Amino acid sequence: QVQLVESGGGLVQVGGSLRLSCAASGSIFNIYGMNWYRQAPGKQRELVATITSGGSTTYADSVKGRFTISRGNAKNTVYLQMNVLKPEDTAVYYCNINIGGLWYWGQGTQVTVSS
C-alpha cells in the first residue's frame, strides 16, 4: 500500500508565499517522476511542475520564475515552493508520484490567494 500525504496549503495574500509538501509512505521503491497539479473551480486539472528522478525540472508558463519544485533528501518527499502568489493561483493542489511504474495521487490541499 502506498499513501501520499500533502500539507502546507492555506490562505495567503497576494504576493505571499506557501510551501507545499507531499510525503510518500508504504511500499516505496523505485520512485521516478514527481509532479504537482492544480485544479481551480470549473477548470480542468493542469500540470504545474515536474521533477524527474535525475532532478530535471519543468514548469507551466504561468508559474515559471515563481514556483520551485524540489525533492527531499530521502527522495520520498516532493515540495512546491510558491512565491509571489496571485489570485489565479487559487486551486486545489495535488501531488502525483510514479512509484514502481504506477502513478499515485495525493488527497489535495487547498491554496487560496486573496486580493
Side-chain angles (χ1 to χ4, degrees), residues 46-49 58-64:
E46 65 169 341
L47 179 61
V48 174
T58 55
Y59 298 92
D61 287 343
S62 57
V63 307
K64 274 181 187 174

Side-chain angles (χ1 to χ4, degrees), residues 1-3 5-6 10 13 15 18 23 38 40 64 71 76 80 83 94 104 109:
Q1 285 276 10
V2 171
Q3 251 193 326
V5 178
E6 300 180 32
Q13 291 188 327
L18 283 174
R38 68 185 180 187
K64 274 181 187 174
R71 300 175 72 141
N76 67 325
L80 186 68
N83 298 327
Y94 299 89
Y104 295 87
T109 185

Side-chain angles (χ1 to χ4, degrees), residues 1 8 20 22-23 33-34 42 44-45 47 60 81 88 104-105 110:
Q1 285 276 10
L20 305 183
C22 174
M34 300 171 128
Q44 287 190 332
R45 192 171 295 190
L47 179 61
Q81 177 67 44
E88 51 264 42
Y104 295 87
W105 290 89
Q110 176 70 45

Side-chain angles (χ1 to χ4, degrees), residues 2 12 31 44 54 59 61 64-66 79 83 98-99 113:
V2 171
V12 65
I31 293 180
Q44 287 190 332
Y59 298 92
D61 287 343
K64 274 181 187 174
R66 300 188 298 120
Y79 303 100
N83 298 327
N98 188 304
I99 301 172
V113 184

Side-chain angles (χ1 to χ4, degrees), residues 75-102:
K75 306 299 183 188
N76 67 325
T77 303
V78 62
Y79 303 100
L80 186 68
Q81 177 67 44
M82 305 185 295
N83 298 327
V84 195
L85 282 161
K86 304 176 180 180
E88 51 264 42
D89 295 318
T90 295
V92 178
Y93 284 71
Y94 299 89
C95 61
N96 172 240
I97 300 177
N98 188 304
I99 301 172
L102 298 177

